[in-house]
Amino acid sequence: MTDNTVPAGFRRNNQGHLVPESQIRPIDLARDALVRELIDKAKPLRKELATFRRCAFEDIEALVQLSGEQYDVKLGGKKGNLTLTTYDGEFKVIRAISETLVFDERLQAAKELIDQCLREWTAGARPEVAVLVQDAFKVNNNGDIRTGSVLGLRRLDIQDERWLRAMQAISEAVSVMGSKTYLRLYQRDARGAYQPISLDIAAVDHE
């Protein structure tokens, strides 16, 4: 087992070596102290935000259940986006759920059927469809298929039998890998537009 104990008068550097404090430049010690101070202050804030987030979702769900009881209906699950506003409309809270969609190997079958259509159509007078479809299958910066673009192909009114089979394959190939729930807070300004109340440290205004 690695001994992480640091003897008095020493500091461990980023390579794991013990260095006498007398050999460390004052500016390096000052930097170390500042970073540790900021981290120590940030950790409780992070814990408070986590507690706030959990309590906020629990309270929103309790309100949903209370609303359902007004109509003698028991609502289950935490799915669906919600927008809640104060009585005077000054504040707004949005619970938004974003799902992560992925495609399995059936997407390749769909792509082949679509390519068959495109090879025939591009010989005629429908090049705009080819551009649209080819763009839909481009990957994003992470190398992933853009699910929204591919699923959007199903809105095209094309009755070719191969195209219809491709659209069926796309529908069957997609599945929900996971979901993430977001909480967004807003306040209405003097012009009546809702402005976000950001909990992101990078977006907080200087006051």
Side-chain angles (χ1 to χ4, degrees):
M1 181 180 296
T2 303
D3 184 5
N4 291 322
T5 302
V6 178
F10 284 80
R11 296 288 183 96
R12 193 182 300 277
N13 66 16
N14 59 8
Q15 296 179 341
H17 304 147
L18 291 176
V19 179
E21 289 185 350
S22 60
Q23 296 181 13
I24 303 175
R25 294 181 299 177
I27 189 61
D28 292 335
L29 291 173
R31 185 186 306 109
D32 179 90
L34 174 60
V35 172
R36 292 182 186 278
E37 178 184 351
L38 294 175
I39 295 298
D40 287 343
K41 290 179 178 179
K43 284 182 176 179
L45 295 176
R46 183 178 184 278
K47 187 175 181 180
E48 286 184 28
L49 279 175
T51 300
F52 167 74
R53 184 179 187 277
R54 185 185 69 253
C55 292
F57 287 139
E58 291 174 352
D59 291 344
I60 289 173
E61 187 60 25
L63 180 67
V64 170
Q65 296 300 327
L66 178 63
S67 183
E69 290 172 5
Q70 308 305 305
Y71 302 96
D72 198 24
V73 174
K74 182 175 178 60
L75 303 175
K78 299 180 176 59
K79 294 184 178 180
N81 298 339
L82 290 174
T83 299
L84 309 174
T85 57
T86 55
Y87 190 69
D88 62 1
E90 181 180 2
F91 298 100
K92 178 171 65 174
V93 174
I94 295 178
R95 182 188 73 181
I97 300 177
S98 175
E99 294 182 332
T100 300
L101 303 177
V102 296
F103 292 106
D104 62 25
E105 77 287 346
R106 285 172 287 191
L107 182 65
Q108 298 303 316
K111 183 65 166 59
E112 175 56 32
L113 288 168
I114 291 172
D115 284 343
Q116 291 178 16
C117 294
L118 294 181
R119 283 193 290 270
E120 178 180 318
W121 296 344
T122 51
R126 300 170 75 171
E128 69 283 352
V129 176
V131 173
L132 178 66
V133 173
Q134 290 164 358
D135 182 71
F137 281 92
K138 288 181 180 178
V139 298
N140 60 22
N141 292 334
N142 295 324
D144 300 320
I145 288 288
R146 297 175 297 174
T147 54
S149 298
V150 174
L151 293 175
L153 295 175
R154 298 178 301 176
R155 294 194 295 269
L156 297 177
D157 185 18
I158 299 175
Q159 298 304 313
D160 187 291
E161 185 270 338
R162 293 163 299 179
W163 180 272
L164 295 177
R165 280 193 290 138
M167 296 305 102
Q168 180 181 354
I170 287 175
S171 297
E172 294 176 353
V174 68
S175 60
V176 179
M177 179 63 69
S179 65
K180 190 170 184 178
T181 307
Y182 298 89
L183 187 69
R184 300 188 174 99
L185 315 174
Y186 298 86
Q187 181 175 11
R188 195 158 56 181
D189 61 20
R191 295 177 291 111
Y194 282 104
Q195 301 299 331
I197 301 173
S198 180
L199 299 180
D200 179 357
I201 192 172
V204 175
D205 291 335
H206 298 287
E207 298 181 356

